[in-house]
Amino acid sequence: MSDLSLYRNIGIFAHVDAGKTTTTERILKLTGKIHKTGEVHDGAATTDFMEQEQERGITIQSAATTCFWKDHRLNIIDTPGHVDFTVEVYRSLKVLDGGVGVFCGSGGVEPQSETNWRYANESEVARIIFVNKLDRIGADFLRVVGQVESVLGANPLVMVLPIGREDDFTGIVDLLTRKAHIWPDPGNPEKYEITDVPEDMVDMVEEWREKLIETAVEQDDEAMELYLDGTEPDMDVIKRCIREGTRKLDFFPTYCGSAFKDKGVQLILDAVVDYLPDPTEVDPQDLTDEFGEPTGEVATVALDEPLRALAFKIMDDRFGALTFVRIYSGVLNRGDTILNSFTGKTERIGRMVEMHANDRNELERAQAGDIIAIVGMKNVQTGHTLCDVKHPCTLEAMVFPDPVISIAVAPKDKGGSEKMGIAIGKMVAEDPSFRVETDEDSGETILKGMGELHLDIKVDILKRTYGVDLIVGKPQVAYRETITQEVDDSYTHKKQSGGSGQFGKIDYRIRPGEPGSGFVFTSTVVGGNVPKEFFPAIEKGFKSMMDQGTVAGFPVLDVEIELYDGGFHAVDSSAIAFELAARGAFRQSMPKAGAQLIEPIMKVDVFTPEDHVGDVIGDLNRRRGMIKDQDPGATGVRIKADVPLSEMFGYIGQLRTMTSGRGQFSMEFSHYLPCPQNVAETVIAEVKERKAAS
C-alpha cells in the first residue's frame, strides 16, 4: 500500500508566456522522467512542445504525468492554459491539492495570471509561487513580489533571493539555510555549487530571513514564544509552520529562478514536497445530490472507504479514448465493475494506465489520492462520478446551463465534413457545455456554447488540433418566445372524406407559466366529454408545437395549458384527430395570448482597476445592462451586472481598450426577459431575411 503522505497532486498554472512549459519540462528532466541527464534540450522538440503547450497545457498526449522526487510521488496535472469560462478549468482545479503559480520576472502579474489566481482562490488550492525568467532584460524579483501583494492581494513569503540581475543572474540564496546555490553550467541543472552568501548580500539576506521567520512562527504559539524570547526554533519546526500556513492559504512560499537556464527548479521541487499538502490534508470533497446541493456527507480520502472518483478530463490520443480520473476514496482494481452515477450504468474497468508524456504504464490497481487514466470507457463525460455499485454517490452535480449562443459552421473543402464530424464528436465528450446540432432547413452544422470566446476557442481547436478549416457564420443569440396573457379558447378539428372522418373538439385555457417551468399540461374535464385515452394525444399535439413559436419561429417557454371541456364523435374521433386539434389550437391561440420574444440575460462579472470603474459602468449601461453590485477588492473592483447577451458581442476588445489591457470578465446565463420592441422588430426582420435566403 502506498503511503498517502508521500503523494502530491499539483498543477502548474500561469499566464500564457510565463514559462509554464519550460518549468514543467525541467521538472520532468530533473526527476529523470525525460531525456538523459545533461542533454541540452533544443531544436525541434522544444518548439513542438511550446506550440502544443500554448494550446493545451503540458502536452497534447497527456493530461497528467507522474514523477518522483525524494521518494515523494508528484502527479503533475495539466491546468488549461485558457482560463475561459469553460467547465474544464474548474474541474482541473478541483482535483488538485496544490499548485505552482509561475510568473514572468519582467512581465510580472499579468491579467491572465489574475484570473488564474482568482479561480485557484475560489477552489482553495494551496500554492507556491515561482518567479521565472530572471535572466530577462527588465526582470526584477522584488518588484514582482510587490505586485503579488498589491495586484493579487496575496501574501508572498519570500524564501530565496536572486544573486545578480538580468544577464548577471547566476544563482539564488536560500534564506532558511543561508546558503548560496550557484549554477555555473547552463543546461546542466544537477551541477550546482553550494557556497556562502556573497558578502554584499549578507545584510539583505538577514533582513528578509527575519521577515520569513517572523511570518512563519505566527502559525504556532510555542514557536512564537520561543522566537520572542530570542531563540530561533529549529529548522523542522519552522518548516512545519510554513507548511501549515501554506495549507491554510495564509501565505504563499515564493521562489525565483530561470527554468530555461536550469536555475532554481530543484528548490521548487523541494518546496512542493516540504510545503504543499498531501491528499489527506486537504478538506474532503462534499458529496452532492443530482442538483448540486451538498448532502452533508464528504468523500474522506482513505483506502477503506467505498470507491469515489471524478472523471475530470477526456482526451483522445494515439492509443484511443482516455478518461482521466482522480480517485478520492477507496481502491480501484483492473476488472472491477463500477457505477457511473450520472448515467446510472455500470462499466467494467479494462485497462488503467499512468501517463508519462508519450509513454504509459499499465496498472493493476489504483487507490485514493491517485490520478490515473482509464482506457476505452463508454458514455463517460467530464465531471461524471464513478463509484462503488453498492454505494452510489455524486461528487459534483452535472448541471449545465443551456447554451445561449450559436454559430453556423461549414468545412471549407468538400472532403472535410467527415473529419469535422469526428473532431466535433470528441470535443463534445470533453466539454459538456459545448453542443452541436444540425439545422433541419438548411442542413448547416450549428455549434452552441456559453459565450463568444467559448466558441472562438472551439473553432481554433478544430483548426489547429484537428486540421479542419471552417467557414464561420455570424453569432446567433438563442432567443425564445412566451405569452403574456391568459386566453380561454375552443378549437374543432373536423374532416370528412369517404368512410370514417376525423373529429376532435377541445375547450382549453392557455396562460403564462412560472419562469423556468417550460411546458405544463393539465386536464380538468369532467363528465367524459373528452375520453381520457385522448389526453396524451392532446398533450403531445400542444407539446410538439412548443419548438416553433408564432412570432419568429423560436422555441416557446413557460406556457400552461388547461383542458377543461370538449366534444367527441363515437366513430370519427381518434388520437390523431385530437392531436391535430391541439396543433391547430396552439396556432390559433398564441397570437391572442400576447406572444412575445424574450432574450437571454447574462450574469456578467467584470473585473477592472479602480481608475476605470466609471468607464466600465457607463459602457455596461449603454449595453442595456443593470448594475447589481460593486465590490472593491485589493486588486481592483468587481462589478456585477445583468446584461442582454445580444449586447455583449465583442465586449472583451472594448473592455481591454477601456482598462489598458487589465480588465477581465466572465459571464454565464442567468434568465430570460422580454425584448424591447425595437430589438424584437430587428430580430423578426433578420429571421425573415434568413428564411427567404435559405
Side-chain angles (χ1 to χ4, degrees):
M1 291 307 255
S2 307
D3 180 356
L4 285 178
S5 66
L6 300 176
Y7 273 56
R8 298 289 180 272
N9 291 324
I10 60 165
I12 295 178
F13 49 89
H15 182 82
V16 166
D17 201 22
K20 184 166 70 160
T21 309
T22 320
T23 307
T24 307
E25 199 177 334
R26 293 300 183 267
I27 288 176
L28 295 179
K29 186 173 172 185
L30 276 167
T31 54
K33 262 302 144 217
I34 56 170
H35 313 301
K36 293 188 242 359
T37 313
E39 183 182 304
V40 179
H41 194 70
D42 62 357
T46 303
T47 48
D48 285 353
F49 206 67
M50 289 300 286
E51 214 172 75
Q52 293 173 345
E53 157 62 19
Q54 282 168 2
E55 296 302 313
R56 301 301 283 270
I58 292 176
T59 71
I60 292 285
Q61 271 90 4
S62 84
T65 182
T66 305
C67 50
F68 288 85
W69 184 255
K70 296 189 172 170
D71 299 331
H72 284 65
R73 177 190 177 111
L74 312 184
N75 291 322
I76 301 174
I77 301 166
D78 154 15
T79 63
H82 297 288
V83 179
D84 301 315
F85 328 113
T86 41
V87 177
E88 202 157 303
V89 178
Y90 283 116
R91 295 276 143 70
S92 298
L93 282 167
K94 197 160 195 161
V95 299
L96 297 176
D97 300 326
V100 180
V102 183
F103 296 98
C104 171
S106 58
V109 176
E110 291 148 304
Q112 186 86 30
S113 334
E114 289 178 44
T115 319
N116 268 315
W117 196 262
R118 227 173 26 248
Y119 279 132
N121 281 345
E122 284 167 21
S123 304
E124 298 181 350
V125 173
R127 282 145 283 168
I128 52 182
I129 293 172
F130 177 47
V131 179
N132 191 18
K133 300 191 177 181
L134 282 192
D135 52 335
R136 280 227 175 148
I137 304 287
D140 184 340
F141 174 60
L142 292 178
R143 180 174 59 84
V144 180
V145 167
Q147 281 185 334
V148 169
E149 283 177 334
S150 61
V151 179
L152 300 178
N155 184 7
L157 185 68
V158 176
M159 303 291 293
V160 298
L161 287 174
I163 303 171
R165 295 181 63 150
E166 298 174 1
D167 285 349
D168 300 329
F169 172 62
T170 54
I172 47 189
V173 174
D174 182 342
L175 294 179
L176 281 179
T177 58
R178 296 191 178 91
K179 289 289 181 201
H181 294 234
I182 310 273
W183 282 267
D185 178 13
N188 192 351
E190 285 90 348
K191 253 184 116 170
Y192 59 93
E193 298 158 8
I194 297 181
T195 62
D196 291 332
V197 175
E199 278 179 25
D200 58 343
M201 287 182 69
V202 170
D203 293 349
M204 188 180 174
V205 166
E206 288 309 311
E207 180 193 332
W208 280 95
R209 189 173 189 276
E210 198 171 312
K211 280 188 196 170
L212 164 66
I213 308 284
E214 268 175 23
T215 311
V217 294
E218 284 172 6
Q219 298 292 328
D220 184 312
D221 293 345
E222 280 181 30
M224 184 83 167
E225 278 176 28
L226 262 177
Y227 184 69
L228 291 173
D229 290 344
T231 313
E232 183 177 297
D234 62 38
M235 199 58 79
D236 288 347
V237 172
I238 295 171
K239 281 189 168 176
R240 196 180 67 241
C241 290
I242 298 174
R243 184 178 182 89
E244 182 63 17
T246 308
R247 189 181 67 80
K248 291 184 348 210
L249 308 190
D250 288 350
F251 47 69
F252 302 93
T254 301
Y255 291 80
C256 66
S258 162
F260 185 64
K261 296 278 176 66
D262 289 314
K263 294 172 183 173
V265 181
Q266 285 95 333
L267 292 167
I268 296 286
L269 285 166
D270 289 347
V272 166
V273 165
D274 288 343
Y275 306 131
L276 288 181
D278 67 50
T280 58
E281 292 173 309
V282 178
D283 291 340
Q285 190 78 26
D286 284 325
L287 297 181
T288 66
D289 58 19
E290 61 268 36
F291 305 110
E293 297 302 316
T295 57
E297 291 184 72
V298 292
T300 312
V301 178
L303 301 181
D304 50 4
E305 288 269 319
L307 174 74
R308 301 184 184 102
L310 183 72
F312 68 95
K313 193 175 178 98
I314 311 275
M315 229 167 179
D316 259 28
D317 72 354
R318 58 197 177 126
F319 300 102
L322 292 176
T323 307
F324 284 91
V325 171
R326 157 81 198 256
I327 303 175
Y328 283 99
S329 62
V331 175
L332 184 60
N333 293 299
R334 187 169 164 177
D336 280 358
T337 299
I338 55 165
L339 173 71
N340 177 345
S341 66
F342 183 74
T343 58
K345 294 188 171 134
T346 55
E347 295 216 25
R348 194 168 170 276
I349 303 291
R351 291 171 65 204
M352 297 191 294
V353 293
E354 228 176 42
M355 298 292 294
H356 302 306
N358 282 340
D359 305 324
R360 24 165 95 183
N361 291 343
E362 298 277 341
L363 295 176
E364 288 300 317
R365 71 189 297 280
Q367 61 173 42
D370 275 339
I371 290 175
I372 58 157
I374 302 173
V375 184
M377 291 194 90
K378 310 267 187 310
N379 310 319
V380 175
Q381 287 190 337
T382 304
H384 283 185
T385 301
L386 308 174
C387 54
D388 187 324
V389 179
K390 294 191 187 91
H391 299 88
C393 67
T394 303
L395 281 163
E396 178 182 350
M398 294 286 288
V399 182
F400 293 111
D402 283 333
V404 288
I405 179 171
S406 57
I407 50 173
V409 296
K412 277 190 182 163
D413 51 54
K414 289 277 187 290
S417 294
E418 191 181 341
K419 202 169 165 190
M420 177 176 87
I422 295 167
I424 288 176
K426 289 176 181 174
M427 286 161 68
V428 170
E430 287 172 18
D431 177 358
S433 61
F434 174 61
R435 315 261 173 95
V436 179
E437 284 176 13
T438 304
D439 188 301
E440 285 172 13
D441 300 336
S442 63
E444 291 176 313
T445 303
I446 312 283
L447 305 186
K448 297 187 164 187
M450 304 317 300
E452 200 178 5
L453 200 57
H454 189 193
L455 291 182
D456 270 0
I457 282 160
K458 297 296 178 198
V459 169
D460 193 54
I461 290 177
L462 277 169
K463 199 181 285 177
R464 294 206 212 175
T465 308
Y466 295 103
V468 182
D469 258 352
L470 297 175
I471 302 163
V472 180
K474 230 171 71 179
Q476 304 294 332
V477 176
Y479 290 99
R480 295 286 181 265
E481 296 179 23
T482 191
I483 54 173
T484 52
Q485 57 216 47
E486 187 171 313
V487 172
D488 278 33
D489 215 342
S490 172
Y491 189 87
T492 306
H493 172 75
K494 205 164 43 184
K495 195 173 170 193
Q496 200 62 46
S497 57
S500 65
Q502 289 183 352
F503 180 85
K505 176 175 184 283
I506 51 174
D507 296 341
Y508 57 92
R509 199 168 284 122
I510 182 163
R511 65 171 83 90
E514 290 290 315
S517 61
F519 170 74
V520 177
F521 177 80
T522 53
S523 163
T524 52
V525 178
V526 286
N529 288 350
V530 179
K532 274 205 172 88
E533 64 259 31
F534 297 136
F535 290 178
I538 299 169
E539 181 175 356
K540 185 182 167 193
F542 277 119
K543 198 168 183 181
S544 66
M545 298 299 283
M546 292 284 289
D547 289 340
Q548 274 204 321
T550 53
V551 181
F554 291 107
V556 181
L557 291 181
D558 309 334
V559 171
E560 275 184 35
I561 291 170
E562 179 191 343
L563 177 72
Y564 62 85
D565 206 356
F568 78 107
H569 187 280
V571 177
D572 291 352
S573 286
S574 61
I576 195 81
F578 275 104
E579 187 179 324
L580 291 167
R583 289 178 168 220
F586 187 88
R587 277 195 291 270
Q588 171 183 296
S589 302
M590 275 295 285
K592 295 182 189 173
Q596 65 173 20
L597 267 191
I598 50 178
E599 61 180 347
I601 306 292
M602 307 301 281
K603 200 159 56 192
V604 178
D605 185 348
V606 185
F607 173 80
T608 167
E610 271 179 40
D611 331 351
H612 306 288
V613 173
D615 298 343
V616 170
I617 288 178
D619 182 65
L620 287 171
N621 286 332
R622 280 194 292 282
R623 294 173 186 269
R624 302 194 280 123
M626 288 274 298
I627 307 294
K628 289 289 191 49
D629 189 24
Q630 287 185 56
D631 185 13
T635 62
V637 180
R638 287 178 80 165
I639 301 163
K640 294 189 173 144
D642 286 350
V643 192
L645 174 67
S646 57
E647 303 286 343
M648 289 299 290
F649 291 142
Y651 182 62
I652 188 72
Q654 182 68 29
L655 179 66
R656 288 204 173 129
T657 309
M658 284 187 297
T659 59
S660 320
R662 285 195 54 207
Q664 290 283 343
F665 87 105
S666 67
M667 65 178 183
E668 57 185 314
F669 171 71
S670 172
H671 55 278
Y672 278 95
L673 274 183
C675 285
Q677 193 59 38
N678 59 333
V679 175
E681 283 168 4
T682 315
V683 172
I684 293 166
E686 278 179 6
V687 169
K688 279 186 180 154
E689 253 177 67
R690 267 211 310 278
K691 283 191 174 155
S694 64

